[in-house]
Amino acid sequence: MNAAAVCKSGLSFEGTAGSGFRIPLGAAADVGGAEDGFRPMELMALGLAGCTAMDVISILRKKQQAVTAFEVRVEGERAVEHPKVFTRIVVEYRVRGHGIDPQAVDRAVTLSRDKYCPAQGMLAKVVPIEHRVVTEQDPPRD
Amino acid sequence: MNAAAVCKSGLSFEGTAGSGFRIPLGAAADVGGAEDGFRPMELMALGLAGCTAMDVISILRKKQQAVTAFEVRVEGERAVEHPKVFTRIVVEYRVRGHGIDPQAVDRAVTLSRDKYCPAQGMLAKVVPIEHRVVTEQDPPRD
């Protein structure tokens, strides 16, 4: 597993990873950046979102849940002083589908948190992570 | 600070963040993915690379170092068992320029590690992080 950040100019970098994808990395104007890419801590939050999202959707499909829309939102609060670590993270799972069983979603979220998700396996040791689940039911199918 | 992963199909997601940027997130074929985006743990590694890279290049410029090329590479080893957390991370700083002072680079790396970098401030508590510095000198300017 590898990744690299290559400086283009100022605080603007190109991020690459072993999978072959590329991404712009940048900083906010108030710290001298050009606002021209993902902030590094956004990538940490997005890694967490993607990591647990893949767990949960996989488990829901194994549980035969008819999911029609699914997303995971991550909000992180940060310390005011350096280093501006996350001090609290909220992970919200939004599941939509036909006859979704909220208990199945809760179990999937718990399995990701406690067993499968490496991002949570690391971050949960250093910052409180709160989980929220929002389920929406689609109209019954004919 | 917020981010979201929205499921497109299978294990393919679109990642978004508050800064407005978008990125494809995907999984490897051997876990049922379509290899069509960054792996979530690559984003964690890239967040770390970008975070410390921005610290170090900022400090080197303040120290009047004439940097002509700069990149940070991150390699992560992962546990075999779930959750497949990082078990060891190597961060390699590659600095090229005119008359680069290796001690100035070392001090910048240490400052990022100990004071400024939130990614390291969190991850260093749960996984050993090793630092390497490679400096290359450009030919003297006329």
mmCIF file with all atom_site columns, all heavy atoms in Angstrom, chain A residues 108-134:
data_model
loop_
_atom_site.group_PDB
_atom_site.id
_atom_site.type_symbol
_atom_site.label_atom_id
_atom_site.label_alt_id
_atom_site.label_comp_id
_atom_site.label_asym_id
_atom_site.label_entity_id
_atom_site.label_seq_id
_atom_site.pdbx_PDB_ins_code
_atom_site.Cartn_x
_atom_site.Cartn_y
_atom_site.Cartn_z
_atom_site.occupancy
_atom_site.B_iso_or_equiv
_atom_site.pdbx_formal_charge
_atom_site.auth_seq_id
_atom_site.auth_comp_id
_atom_site.auth_asym_id
_atom_site.auth_atom_id
_atom_site.pdbx_PDB_model_num
ATOM 1   N N   . ALA A 1 108 ? -24.801 -4.114  10.715 1.00 0.00 ? 108 ALA A N   1
ATOM 2   C CA  . ALA A 1 108 ? -23.737 -3.919  9.712  1.00 0.00 ? 108 ALA A CA  1
ATOM 3   C C   . ALA A 1 108 ? -22.764 -2.831  10.160 1.00 0.00 ? 108 ALA A C   1
ATOM 4   O O   . ALA A 1 108 ? -21.545 -2.964  10.030 1.00 0.00 ? 108 ALA A O   1
ATOM 5   C CB  . ALA A 1 108 ? -24.355 -3.569  8.354  1.00 0.00 ? 108 ALA A CB  1
ATOM 6   N N   . VAL A 1 109 ? -23.333 -1.760  10.705 1.00 0.00 ? 109 VAL A N   1
ATOM 7   C CA  . VAL A 1 109 ? -22.497 -0.643  11.178 1.00 0.00 ? 109 VAL A CA  1
ATOM 8   C C   . VAL A 1 109 ? -21.605 -1.105  12.331 1.00 0.00 ? 109 VAL A C   1
ATOM 9   O O   . VAL A 1 109 ? -20.411 -0.779  12.390 1.00 0.00 ? 109 VAL A O   1
ATOM 10  C CB  . VAL A 1 109 ? -23.397 0.546   11.600 1.00 0.00 ? 109 VAL A CB  1
ATOM 11  C CG1 . VAL A 1 109 ? -22.606 1.597   12.383 1.00 0.00 ? 109 VAL A CG1 1
ATOM 12  C CG2 . VAL A 1 109 ? -24.048 1.170   10.364 1.00 0.00 ? 109 VAL A CG2 1
ATOM 13  N N   . THR A 1 110 ? -22.174 -1.904  13.216 1.00 0.00 ? 110 THR A N   1
ATOM 14  C CA  . THR A 1 110 ? -21.416 -2.404  14.366 1.00 0.00 ? 110 THR A CA  1
ATOM 15  C C   . THR A 1 110 ? -20.313 -3.369  13.921 1.00 0.00 ? 110 THR A C   1
ATOM 16  O O   . THR A 1 110 ? -19.182 -3.317  14.434 1.00 0.00 ? 110 THR A O   1
ATOM 17  C CB  . THR A 1 110 ? -22.366 -3.103  15.360 1.00 0.00 ? 110 THR A CB  1
ATOM 18  O OG1 . THR A 1 110 ? -23.362 -2.156  15.774 1.00 0.00 ? 110 THR A OG1 1
ATOM 19  C CG2 . THR A 1 110 ? -21.619 -3.612  16.577 1.00 0.00 ? 110 THR A CG2 1
ATOM 20  N N   . LEU A 1 111 ? -20.632 -4.233  12.961 1.00 0.00 ? 111 LEU A N   1
ATOM 21  C CA  . LEU A 1 111 ? -19.615 -5.165  12.456 1.00 0.00 ? 111 LEU A CA  1
ATOM 22  C C   . LEU A 1 111 ? -18.456 -4.408  11.808 1.00 0.00 ? 111 LEU A C   1
ATOM 23  O O   . LEU A 1 111 ? -17.286 -4.759  11.997 1.00 0.00 ? 111 LEU A O   1
ATOM 24  C CB  . LEU A 1 111 ? -20.224 -6.109  11.408 1.00 0.00 ? 111 LEU A CB  1
ATOM 25  C CG  . LEU A 1 111 ? -20.811 -7.409  11.925 1.00 0.00 ? 111 LEU A CG  1
ATOM 26  C CD1 . LEU A 1 111 ? -21.526 -8.147  10.797 1.00 0.00 ? 111 LEU A CD1 1
ATOM 27  C CD2 . LEU A 1 111 ? -19.704 -8.293  12.520 1.00 0.00 ? 111 LEU A CD2 1
ATOM 28  N N   . SER A 1 112 ? -18.786 -3.373  11.035 1.00 0.00 ? 112 SER A N   1
ATOM 29  C CA  . SER A 1 112 ? -17.720 -2.575  10.421 1.00 0.00 ? 112 SER A CA  1
ATOM 30  C C   . SER A 1 112 ? -16.857 -1.943  11.512 1.00 0.00 ? 112 SER A C   1
ATOM 31  O O   . SER A 1 112 ? -15.626 -2.040  11.476 1.00 0.00 ? 112 SER A O   1
ATOM 32  C CB  . SER A 1 112 ? -18.326 -1.496  9.519  1.00 0.00 ? 112 SER A CB  1
ATOM 33  O OG  . SER A 1 112 ? -17.311 -0.646  9.019  1.00 0.00 ? 112 SER A OG  1
ATOM 34  N N   . ARG A 1 113 ? -17.519 -1.341  12.484 1.00 0.00 ? 113 ARG A N   1
ATOM 35  C CA  . ARG A 1 113 ? -16.802 -0.635  13.556 1.00 0.00 ? 113 ARG A CA  1
ATOM 36  C C   . ARG A 1 113 ? -15.898 -1.578  14.359 1.00 0.00 ? 113 ARG A C   1
ATOM 37  O O   . ARG A 1 113 ? -14.741 -1.265  14.633 1.00 0.00 ? 113 ARG A O   1
ATOM 38  C CB  . ARG A 1 113 ? -17.826 0.009   14.504 1.00 0.00 ? 113 ARG A CB  1
ATOM 39  C CG  . ARG A 1 113 ? -17.209 0.795   15.649 1.00 0.00 ? 113 ARG A CG  1
ATOM 40  C CD  . ARG A 1 113 ? -18.252 1.132   16.699 1.00 0.00 ? 113 ARG A CD  1
ATOM 41  N NE  . ARG A 1 113 ? -18.675 -0.043  17.425 1.00 0.00 ? 113 ARG A NE  1
ATOM 42  C CZ  . ARG A 1 113 ? -19.717 -0.095  18.259 1.00 0.00 ? 113 ARG A CZ  1
ATOM 43  N NH1 . ARG A 1 113 ? -20.452 0.983   18.460 1.00 0.00 ? 113 ARG A NH1 1
ATOM 44  N NH2 . ARG A 1 113 ? -20.014 -1.208  18.888 1.00 0.00 ? 113 ARG A NH2 1
ATOM 45  N N   . ASP A 1 114 ? -16.441 -2.744  14.709 1.00 0.00 ? 114 ASP A N   1
ATOM 46  C CA  . ASP A 1 114 ? -15.742 -3.615  15.651 1.00 0.00 ? 114 ASP A CA  1
ATOM 47  C C   . ASP A 1 114 ? -14.832 -4.636  14.988 1.00 0.00 ? 114 ASP A C   1
ATOM 48  O O   . ASP A 1 114 ? -13.929 -5.178  15.637 1.00 0.00 ? 114 ASP A O   1
ATOM 49  C CB  . ASP A 1 114 ? -16.750 -4.371  16.526 1.00 0.00 ? 114 ASP A CB  1
ATOM 50  C CG  . ASP A 1 114 ? -17.528 -3.431  17.428 1.00 0.00 ? 114 ASP A CG  1
ATOM 51  O OD1 . ASP A 1 114 ? -17.104 -2.266  17.577 1.00 0.00 ? 114 ASP A OD1 1
ATOM 52  O OD2 . ASP A 1 114 ? -18.565 -3.857  17.965 1.00 0.00 ? 114 ASP A OD2 1
ATOM 53  N N   . LYS A 1 115 ? -15.074 -4.933  13.705 1.00 0.00 ? 115 LYS A N   1
ATOM 54  C CA  . LYS A 1 115 ? -14.339 -6.049  13.115 1.00 0.00 ? 115 LYS A CA  1
ATOM 55  C C   . LYS A 1 115 ? -13.593 -5.736  11.823 1.00 0.00 ? 115 LYS A C   1
ATOM 56  O O   . LYS A 1 115 ? -12.449 -6.125  11.657 1.00 0.00 ? 115 LYS A O   1
ATOM 57  C CB  . LYS A 1 115 ? -15.313 -7.205  12.878 1.00 0.00 ? 115 LYS A CB  1
ATOM 58  C CG  . LYS A 1 115 ? -14.642 -8.452  12.326 1.00 0.00 ? 115 LYS A CG  1
ATOM 59  C CD  . LYS A 1 115 ? -15.528 -9.667  12.410 1.00 0.00 ? 115 LYS A CD  1
ATOM 60  C CE  . LYS A 1 115 ? -14.788 -10.901 11.886 1.00 0.00 ? 115 LYS A CE  1
ATOM 61  N NZ  . LYS A 1 115 ? -15.655 -12.059 11.738 1.00 0.00 ? 115 LYS A NZ  1
ATOM 62  N N   . TYR A 1 116 ? -14.268 -5.054  10.891 1.00 0.00 ? 116 TYR A N   1
ATOM 63  C CA  . TYR A 1 116 ? -13.715 -5.013  9.532  1.00 0.00 ? 116 TYR A CA  1
ATOM 64  C C   . TYR A 1 116 ? -12.969 -3.742  9.133  1.00 0.00 ? 116 TYR A C   1
ATOM 65  O O   . TYR A 1 116 ? -12.067 -3.787  8.311  1.00 0.00 ? 116 TYR A O   1
ATOM 66  C CB  . TYR A 1 116 ? -14.831 -5.261  8.512  1.00 0.00 ? 116 TYR A CB  1
ATOM 67  C CG  . TYR A 1 116 ? -15.370 -6.664  8.566  1.00 0.00 ? 116 TYR A CG  1
ATOM 68  C CD1 . TYR A 1 116 ? -16.661 -6.925  8.989  1.00 0.00 ? 116 TYR A CD1 1
ATOM 69  C CD2 . TYR A 1 116 ? -14.567 -7.741  8.193  1.00 0.00 ? 116 TYR A CD2 1
ATOM 70  C CE1 . TYR A 1 116 ? -17.155 -8.223  9.052  1.00 0.00 ? 116 TYR A CE1 1
ATOM 71  C CE2 . TYR A 1 116 ? -15.045 -9.039  8.252  1.00 0.00 ? 116 TYR A CE2 1
ATOM 72  C CZ  . TYR A 1 116 ? -16.333 -9.270  8.686  1.00 0.00 ? 116 TYR A CZ  1
ATOM 73  O OH  . TYR A 1 116 ? -16.804 -10.545 8.736  1.00 0.00 ? 116 TYR A OH  1
ATOM 74  N N   . CYS A 1 117 ? -13.371 -2.605  9.670  1.00 0.00 ? 117 CYS A N   1
ATOM 75  C CA  . CYS A 1 117 ? -12.890 -1.330  9.109  1.00 0.00 ? 117 CYS A CA  1
ATOM 76  C C   . CYS A 1 117 ? -11.546 -0.905  9.707  1.00 0.00 ? 117 CYS A C   1
ATOM 77  O O   . CYS A 1 117 ? -11.475 -0.504  10.871 1.00 0.00 ? 117 CYS A O   1
ATOM 78  C CB  . CYS A 1 117 ? -13.944 -0.249  9.364  1.00 0.00 ? 117 CYS A CB  1
ATOM 79  S SG  . CYS A 1 117 ? -13.453 1.379   8.788  1.00 0.00 ? 117 CYS A SG  1
ATOM 80  N N   . PRO A 1 118 ? -10.475 -0.963  8.929  1.00 0.00 ? 118 PRO A N   1
ATOM 81  C CA  . PRO A 1 118 ? -9.172  -0.566  9.475  1.00 0.00 ? 118 PRO A CA  1
ATOM 82  C C   . PRO A 1 118 ? -9.089  0.916   9.809  1.00 0.00 ? 118 PRO A C   1
ATOM 83  O O   . PRO A 1 118 ? -8.396  1.296   10.759 1.00 0.00 ? 118 PRO A O   1
ATOM 84  C CB  . PRO A 1 118 ? -8.179  -0.941  8.361  1.00 0.00 ? 118 PRO A CB  1
ATOM 85  C CG  . PRO A 1 118 ? -8.995  -1.092  7.127  1.00 0.00 ? 118 PRO A CG  1
ATOM 86  C CD  . PRO A 1 118 ? -10.377 -1.477  7.550  1.00 0.00 ? 118 PRO A CD  1
ATOM 87  N N   . ALA A 1 119 ? -9.788  1.744   9.054  1.00 0.00 ? 119 ALA A N   1
ATOM 88  C CA  . ALA A 1 119 ? -9.736  3.184   9.354  1.00 0.00 ? 119 ALA A CA  1
ATOM 89  C C   . ALA A 1 119 ? -10.288 3.435   10.756 1.00 0.00 ? 119 ALA A C   1
ATOM 90  O O   . ALA A 1 119 ? -9.685  4.159   11.551 1.00 0.00 ? 119 ALA A O   1
ATOM 91  C CB  . ALA A 1 119 ? -10.519 3.974   8.309  1.00 0.00 ? 119 ALA A CB  1
ATOM 92  N N   . GLN A 1 120 ? -11.426 2.809   11.065 1.00 0.00 ? 120 GLN A N   1
ATOM 93  C CA  . GLN A 1 120 ? -11.982 2.952   12.417 1.00 0.00 ? 120 GLN A CA  1
ATOM 94  C C   . GLN A 1 120 ? -11.114 2.223   13.445 1.00 0.00 ? 120 GLN A C   1
ATOM 95  O O   . GLN A 1 120 ? -10.961 2.687   14.575 1.00 0.00 ? 120 GLN A O   1
ATOM 96  C CB  . GLN A 1 120 ? -13.402 2.392   12.486 1.00 0.00 ? 120 GLN A CB  1
ATOM 97  C CG  . GLN A 1 120 ? -14.398 3.268   11.781 1.00 0.00 ? 120 GLN A CG  1
ATOM 98  C CD  . GLN A 1 120 ? -15.825 2.810   12.025 1.00 0.00 ? 120 GLN A CD  1
ATOM 99  O OE1 . GLN A 1 120 ? -16.439 3.156   13.024 1.00 0.00 ? 120 GLN A OE1 1
ATOM 100 N NE2 . GLN A 1 120 ? -16.342 2.048   11.101 1.00 0.00 ? 120 GLN A NE2 1
ATOM 101 N N   . GLY A 1 121 ? -10.566 1.086   13.042 1.00 0.00 ? 121 GLY A N   1
ATOM 102 C CA  . GLY A 1 121 ? -9.716  0.325   13.953 1.00 0.00 ? 121 GLY A CA  1
ATOM 103 C C   . GLY A 1 121 ? -8.553  1.160   14.463 1.00 0.00 ? 121 GLY A C   1
ATOM 104 O O   . GLY A 1 121 ? -8.090  0.988   15.592 1.00 0.00 ? 121 GLY A O   1
ATOM 105 N N   . MET A 1 122 ? -8.087  2.086   13.613 1.00 0.00 ? 122 MET A N   1
ATOM 106 C CA  . MET A 1 122 ? -6.995  2.973   14.050 1.00 0.00 ? 122 MET A CA  1
ATOM 107 C C   . MET A 1 122 ? -7.535  4.241   14.702 1.00 0.00 ? 122 MET A C   1
ATOM 108 O O   . MET A 1 122 ? -7.136  4.596   15.815 1.00 0.00 ? 122 MET A O   1
ATOM 109 C CB  . MET A 1 122 ? -6.104  3.315   12.852 1.00 0.00 ? 122 MET A CB  1
ATOM 110 C CG  . MET A 1 122 ? -5.377  2.086   12.296 1.00 0.00 ? 122 MET A CG  1
ATOM 111 S SD  . MET A 1 122 ? -4.150  2.488   11.019 1.00 0.00 ? 122 MET A SD  1
ATOM 112 C CE  . MET A 1 122 ? -5.243  3.023   9.716  1.00 0.00 ? 122 MET A CE  1
ATOM 113 N N   . LEU A 1 123 ? -8.414  4.949   14.005 1.00 0.00 ? 123 LEU A N   1
ATOM 114 C CA  . LEU A 1 123 ? -8.848  6.267   14.491 1.00 0.00 ? 123 LEU A CA  1
ATOM 115 C C   . LEU A 1 123 ? -9.639  6.187   15.796 1.00 0.00 ? 123 LEU A C   1
ATOM 116 O O   . LEU A 1 123 ? -9.537  7.091   16.636 1.00 0.00 ? 123 LEU A O   1
ATOM 117 C CB  . LEU A 1 123 ? -9.674  6.993   13.414 1.00 0.00 ? 123 LEU A CB  1
ATOM 118 C CG  . LEU A 1 123 ? -8.877  7.446   12.188 1.00 0.00 ? 123 LEU A CG  1
ATOM 119 C CD1 . LEU A 1 123 ? -9.792  8.063   11.136 1.00 0.00 ? 123 LEU A CD1 1
ATOM 120 C CD2 . LEU A 1 123 ? -7.789  8.448   12.584 1.00 0.00 ? 123 LEU A CD2 1
ATOM 121 N N   . ALA A 1 124 ? -10.420 5.113   15.970 1.00 0.00 ? 124 ALA A N   1
ATOM 122 C CA  . ALA A 1 124 ? -11.249 5.019   17.186 1.00 0.00 ? 124 ALA A CA  1
ATOM 123 C C   . ALA A 1 124 ? -10.403 4.948   18.448 1.00 0.00 ? 124 ALA A C   1
ATOM 124 O O   . ALA A 1 124 ? -10.893 5.203   19.543 1.00 0.00 ? 124 ALA A O   1
ATOM 125 C CB  . ALA A 1 124 ? -12.186 3.812   17.102 1.00 0.00 ? 124 ALA A CB  1
ATOM 126 N N   . LYS A 1 125 ? -9.120  4.615   18.296 1.00 0.00 ? 125 LYS A N   1
ATOM 127 C CA  . LYS A 1 125 ? -8.245  4.566   19.472 1.00 0.00 ? 125 LYS A CA  1
ATOM 128 C C   . LYS A 1 125 ? -7.770  5.950   19.898 1.00 0.00 ? 125 LYS A C   1
ATOM 129 O O   . LYS A 1 125 ? -7.232  6.114   20.992 1.00 0.00 ? 125 LYS A O   1
ATOM 130 C CB  . LYS A 1 125 ? -7.021  3.688   19.184 1.00 0.00 ? 125 LYS A CB  1
ATOM 131 C CG  . LYS A 1 125 ? -7.407  2.213   19.077 1.00 0.00 ? 125 LYS A CG  1
ATOM 132 C CD  . LYS A 1 125 ? -6.194  1.335   18.958 1.00 0.00 ? 125 LYS A CD  1
ATOM 133 C CE  . LYS A 1 125 ? -6.602  -0.127  18.887 1.00 0.00 ? 125 LYS A CE  1
ATOM 134 N NZ  . LYS A 1 125 ? -5.567  -0.956  18.282 1.00 0.00 ? 125 LYS A NZ  1
ATOM 135 N N   . VAL A 1 126 ? -7.927  6.926   19.016 1.00 0.00 ? 126 VAL A N   1
ATOM 136 C CA  . VAL A 1 126 ? -7.404  8.256   19.339 1.00 0.00 ? 126 VAL A CA  1
ATOM 137 C C   . VAL A 1 126 ? -8.444  9.362   19.293 1.00 0.00 ? 126 VAL A C   1
ATOM 138 O O   . VAL A 1 126 ? -8.167  10.492  19.694 1.00 0.00 ? 126 VAL A O   1
ATOM 139 C CB  . VAL A 1 126 ? -6.214  8.635   18.409 1.00 0.00 ? 126 VAL A CB  1
ATOM 140 C CG1 . VAL A 1 126 ? -5.015  7.747   18.729 1.00 0.00 ? 126 VAL A CG1 1
ATOM 141 C CG2 . VAL A 1 126 ? -6.568  8.537   16.937 1.00 0.00 ? 126 VAL A CG2 1
ATOM 142 N N   . VAL A 1 127 ? -9.647  9.062   18.801 1.00 0.00 ? 127 VAL A N   1
ATOM 143 C CA  . VAL A 1 127 ? -10.684 10.093  18.738 1.00 0.00 ? 127 VAL A CA  1
ATOM 144 C C   . VAL A 1 127 ? -12.057 9.420   18.889 1.00 0.00 ? 127 VAL A C   1
ATOM 145 O O   . VAL A 1 127 ? -12.279 8.346   18.327 1.00 0.00 ? 127 VAL A O   1
ATOM 146 C CB  . VAL A 1 127 ? -10.579 10.911  17.422 1.00 0.00 ? 127 VAL A CB  1
ATOM 147 C CG1 . VAL A 1 127 ? -10.492 10.027  16.200 1.00 0.00 ? 127 VAL A CG1 1
ATOM 148 C CG2 . VAL A 1 127 ? -11.752 11.866  17.249 1.00 0.00 ? 127 VAL A CG2 1
ATOM 149 N N   . PRO A 1 128 ? -12.959 10.044  19.664 1.00 0.00 ? 128 PRO A N   1
ATOM 150 C CA  . PRO A 1 128 ? -14.304 9.463   19.793 1.00 0.00 ? 128 PRO A CA  1
ATOM 151 C C   . PRO A 1 128 ? -15.029 9.510   18.442 1.00 0.00 ? 128 PRO A C   1
ATOM 152 O O   . PRO A 1 128 ? -15.029 10.552  17.771 1.00 0.00 ? 128 PRO A O   1
ATOM 153 C CB  . PRO A 1 128 ? -15.002 10.387  20.800 1.00 0.00 ? 128 PRO A CB  1
ATOM 154 C CG  . PRO A 1 128 ? -13.957 11.275  21.368 1.00 0.00 ? 128 PRO A CG  1
ATOM 155 C CD  . PRO A 1 128 ? -12.799 11.286  20.426 1.00 0.00 ? 128 PRO A CD  1
ATOM 156 N N   . ILE A 1 129 ? -15.601 8.374   18.052 1.00 0.00 ? 129 ILE A N   1
ATOM 157 C CA  . ILE A 1 129 ? -16.353 8.299   16.792 1.00 0.00 ? 129 ILE A CA  1
ATOM 158 C C   . ILE A 1 129 ? -17.799 7.944   17.128 1.00 0.00 ? 129 ILE A C   1
ATOM 159 O O   . ILE A 1 129 ? -18.069 6.935   17.774 1.00 0.00 ? 129 ILE A O   1
ATOM 160 C CB  . ILE A 1 129 ? -15.753 7.249   15.834 1.00 0.00 ? 129 ILE A CB  1
ATOM 161 C CG1 . ILE A 1 129 ? -14.292 7.592   15.515 1.00 0.00 ? 129 ILE A CG1 1
ATOM 162 C CG2 . ILE A 1 129 ? -16.577 7.175   14.544 1.00 0.00 ? 129 ILE A CG2 1
ATOM 163 C CD1 . ILE A 1 129 ? -13.610 6.613   14.579 1.00 0.00 ? 129 ILE A CD1 1
ATOM 164 N N   . GLU A 1 130 ? -18.698 8.809   16.691 1.00 0.00 ? 130 GLU A N   1
ATOM 165 C CA  . GLU A 1 130 ? -20.128 8.622   16.940 1.00 0.00 ? 130 GLU A CA  1
ATOM 166 C C   . GLU A 1 130 ? -20.781 8.135   15.644 1.00 0.00 ? 130 GLU A C   1
ATOM 167 O O   . GLU A 1 130 ? -20.410 8.594   14.561 1.00 0.00 ? 130 GLU A O   1
ATOM 168 C CB  . GLU A 1 130 ? -20.701 9.985   17.337 1.00 0.00 ? 130 GLU A CB  1
ATOM 169 C CG  . GLU A 1 130 ? -22.127 9.993   17.790 1.00 0.00 ? 130 GLU A CG  1
ATOM 170 C CD  . GLU A 1 130 ? -22.550 11.428  18.150 1.00 0.00 ? 130 GLU A CD  1
ATOM 171 O OE1 . GLU A 1 130 ? -21.756 12.131  18.821 1.00 0.00 ? 130 GLU A OE1 1
ATOM 172 O OE2 . GLU A 1 130 ? -23.631 11.829  17.726 1.00 0.00 ? 130 GLU A OE2 1
ATOM 173 N N   . HIS A 1 131 ? -21.732 7.220   15.766 1.00 0.00 ? 131 HIS A N   1
ATOM 174 C CA  . HIS A 1 131 ? -22.383 6.654   14.578 1.00 0.00 ? 131 HIS A CA  1
ATOM 175 C C   . HIS A 1 131 ? -23.857 7.029   14.551 1.00 0.00 ? 131 HIS A C   1
ATOM 176 O O   . HIS A 1 131 ? -24.536 6.944   15.577 1.00 0.00 ? 131 HIS A O   1
ATOM 177 C CB  . HIS A 1 131 ? -22.245 5.133   14.574 1.00 0.00 ? 131 HIS A CB  1
ATOM 178 C CG  . HIS A 1 131 ? -20.816 4.683   14.534 1.00 0.00 ? 131 HIS A CG  1
ATOM 179 N ND1 . HIS A 1 131 ? -20.003 4.722   15.643 1.00 0.00 ? 131 HIS A ND1 1
ATOM 180 C CD2 . HIS A 1 131 ? -20.045 4.225   13.521 1.00 0.00 ? 131 HIS A CD2 1
ATOM 181 C CE1 . HIS A 1 131 ? -18.790 4.300   15.311 1.00 0.00 ? 131 HIS A CE1 1
ATOM 182 N NE2 . HIS A 1 131 ? -18.783 3.999   14.036 1.00 0.00 ? 131 HIS A NE2 1
ATOM 183 N N   . ARG A 1 132 ? -24.326 7.416   13.389 1.00 0.00 ? 132 ARG A N   1
ATOM 184 C CA  . ARG A 1 132 ? -25.755 7.691   13.213 1.00 0.00 ? 132 ARG A CA  1
ATOM 185 C C   . ARG A 1 132 ? -26.237 6.907   12.006 1.00 0.00 ? 132 ARG A C   1
ATOM 186 O O   . ARG A 1 132 ? -25.502 6.751   11.031 1.00 0.00 ? 132 ARG A O   1
ATOM 187 C CB  . ARG A 1 132 ? -25.989 9.178   12.953 1.00 0.00 ? 132 ARG A CB  1
ATOM 188 C CG  . ARG A 1 132 ? -25.670 10.034  14.145 1.00 0.00 ? 132 ARG A CG  1
ATOM 189 C CD  . ARG A 1 132 ? -25.931 11.508  13.851 1.00 0.00 ? 132 ARG A CD  1
ATOM 190 N NE  . ARG A 1 132 ? -25.395 12.329  14.933 1.00 0.00 ? 132 ARG A NE  1
ATOM 191 C CZ  . ARG A 1 132 ? -25.128 13.624  14.820 1.00 0.00 ? 132 ARG A CZ  1
ATOM 192 N NH1 . ARG A 1 132 ? -25.355 14.249  13.669 1.00 0.00 ? 132 ARG A NH1 1
ATOM 193 N NH2 . ARG A 1 132 ? -24.646 14.294  15.846 1.00 0.00 ? 132 ARG A NH2 1
ATOM 194 N N   . VAL A 1 133 ? -27.464 6.438   12.090 1.00 0.00 ? 133 VAL A N   1
ATOM 195 C CA  . VAL A 1 133 ? -28.049 5.699   10.967 1.00 0.00 ? 133 VAL A CA  1
ATOM 196 C C   . VAL A 1 133 ? -29.355 6.374   10.581 1.00 0.00 ? 133 VAL A C   1
ATOM 197 O O   . VAL A 1 133 ? -30.193 6.656   11.439 1.00 0.00 ? 133 VAL A O   1
ATOM 198 C CB  . VAL A 1 133 ? -28.305 4.231   11.361 1.00 0.00 ? 133 VAL A CB  1
ATOM 199 C CG1 . VAL A 1 133 ? -29.096 3.519   10.271 1.00 0.00 ? 133 VAL A CG1 1
ATOM 200 C CG2 . VAL A 1 133 ? -26.988 3.511   11.627 1.00 0.00 ? 133 VAL A CG2 1
ATOM 201 N N   . VAL A 1 134 ? -29.499 6.654   9.302  1.00 0.00 ? 134 VAL A N   1
ATOM 202 C CA  . VAL A 1 134 ? -30.752 7.199   8.777  1.00 0.00 ? 134 VAL A CA  1
ATOM 203 C C   . VAL A 1 134 ? -31.248 6.223   7.722  1.00 0.00 ? 134 VAL A C   1
ATOM 204 O O   . VAL A 1 134 ? -30.538 5.952   6.731  1.00 0.00 ? 134 VAL A O   1
ATOM 205 C CB  . VAL A 1 134 ? -30.537 8.596   8.135  1.00 0.00 ? 134 VAL A CB  1
ATOM 206 C CG1 . VAL A 1 134 ? -31.841 9.115   7.550  1.00 0.00 ? 134 VAL A CG1 1
ATOM 207 C CG2 . VAL A 1 134 ? -29.956 9.570   9.157  1.00 0.00 ? 134 VAL A CG2 1
#
